[in-house]
Amino acid sequence: MKFKDFWKRSTSAKISRRPAAATTKTEKTPLLSGLKENIQKIKSDLGNSTDIIFREVRVGKTGENVMGILYTDGLVDKNVITDFIMESVILNSRITEVEQLLTSTHDVVHILKEYVLTIGDVKEIHCFEDLYHSLLSGETIILLDGHTEGIAVNTQGWKDRGVGEPSAESVIRGPREAFSETLRTNTSLIRRKIKDPNLWLETRQIGRVTKTDVAVMYIKGIVNEKVVEEVRLRLDRIDIDGILESGYIEELIQDDNYSPFPTIYNTERPDVIAAELLEGKVAILVDGTPFVLVVPALFVSFLHAAEDYYHRADVSSLIRILRYVGFLIALFSPSVYVAITTFHQEMLPTQLLVSLAAQREGIPFPAFIEAIMMEVAFEILREAGLRMPRTIGPAVSIVGTLVIGQAAVNAGIISAAMVIVVSTTAIASFVFPSYSLANTIRMLRFPFIILAATFGVFGIIVGIIALILHMCSLRTFGVPYMSPFAPLILKDQKDAIFRLPQWAMFSRPRLINQNNVRRANNGPSQKPKPRT
């Protein structure tokens, strides 16, 4: 089947499953001509909120033009209002040429924009809905008595966390800067790394109450336009009262809501987003959160780290193999232990079998109950360590793992071998660069333990087959989730389990990118040659 036909079938089926959002057209209320009436309505609609500041100023030498300035305290930079609005209006309006223009024409708003205000981002507003959105977004509103239009000046200046180190993704080698909660700061961090005019940015407001700014970034000419159109379609169909974090967007636009595997990648590192954009993917930034979404997201993306491309190819390949091994250990080691000790003791060497039997002598519970008890206890300890204050969290983990585990073994409730298996599983679950994939392994571990306790190794094999079938059936914005393994694409194996040197990775992923496939024109000819 051709990729074009496959794409049409997958996207059309996806669109047909998603009902269109209910769109209700609301007529906008135009501004009134009187300044006092406008101010009275604004105060009434906003409940006389004390953080809405109003200042009345007279323009010109004679003061025949009355102007009102409104802003939200805490969302604006007061120095900008004082230096570029107040001072500009009071001083520049008294210049003879400007004063003549103000008295000779009725288009005072245009004169203020072109000759008086000395600030860059200025726009006209004509209705109360646009006025409230600008006012509550940190912009300063200028209203004129006798005019039904106003001016919105960008004076945003709230306090933000700034650019710091990533907290959820540790950095060994690479840039140590992370996204913040401010949308414009995040877009600037990406543009610092990709200085290309083809890096396009689209912004829309989502949420009837919060009106959260959501930005879509992609590189024109590299990205697949069908993916961009699908992203726009899914975002425009969101009809909800509020968006407080990118997780809201992730749940509302993902392909399969009932799959434990994440189909949308998220990160707080700008270098990761820049690399994903260069592969032809689309980034979704949400104001108020440092975590940026990336689509489409393949399964291999959750096992790759940014440091894989900063180290040598042989070191990166070895580390990736360790991650895949850790994936298998974290998912199957408890279930394999339960299956072998319960049904298939003949698979163990005699000495090991005797040792395990001696350890289990006096244990009142079967291996299945042991595994469930230890896994639940570890999940509780891990969650407690995350939610407790940072000064207490490590102490809780140490006490839980050492004291409680040793006490359980000494009391004869849990065998020492089970403690070793659960501890190894826990350590292996920390090797994943993506926390989303780690959560998936945490959930799938329990069904495999149940299958092992019920049917033994046969149950584990049936579970693996069902898991592979499910993963191969997943799609992420029209792209097969298990690509480049299923379907098998030999050219893309250069950056799947192994990572070839940079000079060998001269092409982008085939199913993600269809336009500009080649990264470099000379390709393998860039291979370093020894000096003779």
Side-chain angles (χ1 to χ4, degrees), residues 11 28 51 84 100 124 198 290 310 320 324 336 376 383 417 429 457 481 521:
T11 54
K28 295 185 177 181
D51 59 344
F84 296 98
Q100 292 176 356
E124 293 187 13
N198 291 321
Y310 304 150
R320 283 191 180 178
Y324 281 95
V336 170
V376 171
E383 196 66 20
S429 64
V457 174
Y481 186 63
N521 293 327

Side-chain angles (χ1 to χ4, degrees), residues 214-472:
V214 177
V216 178
M217 294 191 77
Y218 56 90
I219 301 179
K220 184 71 173 180
I222 296 180
V223 71
N224 192 330
E225 293 295 336
K226 295 180 179 179
V227 175
V228 179
E229 187 62 31
E230 182 69 12
V231 171
R232 294 195 193 105
L233 179 63
R234 297 189 189 186
L235 290 177
D236 292 338
R237 288 185 173 184
I238 296 177
D239 185 15
I240 194 172
D241 57 350
I243 299 293
L244 301 179
E245 213 272 337
S246 58
Y248 286 58
I249 300 293
E250 180 177 355
E251 278 198 86
L252 292 170
I253 68 173
Q254 63 184 355
D255 288 72
D256 196 337
N257 295 321
Y258 302 103
S259 174
F261 288 92
T263 55
I264 297 178
Y265 188 76
N266 67 84
T267 180
E268 58 175 344
R269 296 183 56 174
D271 57 330
V272 175
I273 295 299
E276 298 286 3
L277 291 175
L278 290 173
E279 284 195 348
K281 298 181 181 180
V282 181
I284 303 174
L285 299 88
V286 181
D287 189 25
T289 176
F291 290 93
V292 178
L293 306 178
V294 178
V295 295
L298 307 180
F299 174 73
V300 295
S301 301
F302 297 93
L303 290 170
H304 294 176
E307 285 83 359
D308 294 348
Y309 304 93
Y310 304 150
H311 296 290
R312 296 200 322 267
D314 51 353
V315 177
S316 301
S317 299
L318 175 61
I319 295 175
R320 283 191 180 178
I321 294 174
L322 289 177
R323 292 198 194 107
Y324 281 95
V325 173
F327 174 83
L328 298 177
I329 293 175
L331 182 58
F332 299 117
S333 59
S335 57
V336 170
Y337 176 81
V338 170
I340 292 177
T341 57
T342 305
F343 295 99
H344 312 283
Q345 296 88 351
E346 67 278 1
M347 297 177 63
L348 297 175
T350 305
Q351 293 182 351
L352 179 59
L353 181 61
V354 172
S355 176
L356 292 177
Q359 292 178 21
R360 292 194 52 80
E361 185 179 359
I363 302 297
F365 305 109
F368 169 68
I369 302 299
E370 276 188 277
I372 294 295
M373 290 173 57
M374 289 297 297
E375 289 292 341
V376 171
F378 177 76
E379 294 298 334
I380 293 174
L381 288 172
R382 176 155 60 175
E383 196 66 20
L386 291 174
R387 306 306 169 193
M388 294 292 289
R390 293 186 177 180
T391 56
I392 308 175
V396 172
S397 300
I398 294 174
V399 170
T401 54
L402 294 181
V403 178
I404 298 179
Q406 186 65 32
V409 173
N410 294 335
I413 301 176
I414 303 295
S415 63
M418 180 59 72
V419 174
I420 295 175
V421 171
V422 173
S423 301
T424 305
T425 304
I427 295 173
S429 64
F430 291 129
V431 303
F432 308 126
S434 174
Y435 186 70
S436 301
L437 184 60
N439 289 334
T440 300
I441 301 304
R442 293 167 64 182
M443 290 188 294
L444 293 178
R445 195 180 298 149
F446 291 97
F448 274 98
I449 293 175
I450 296 174
L451 288 174
T454 308
F455 303 104
V457 174
F458 176 75
I460 297 177
I461 295 175
V462 172
I464 293 175
I465 294 174
L467 182 66
I468 294 176
L469 291 175
H470 171 72
M471 295 174 67
C472 292

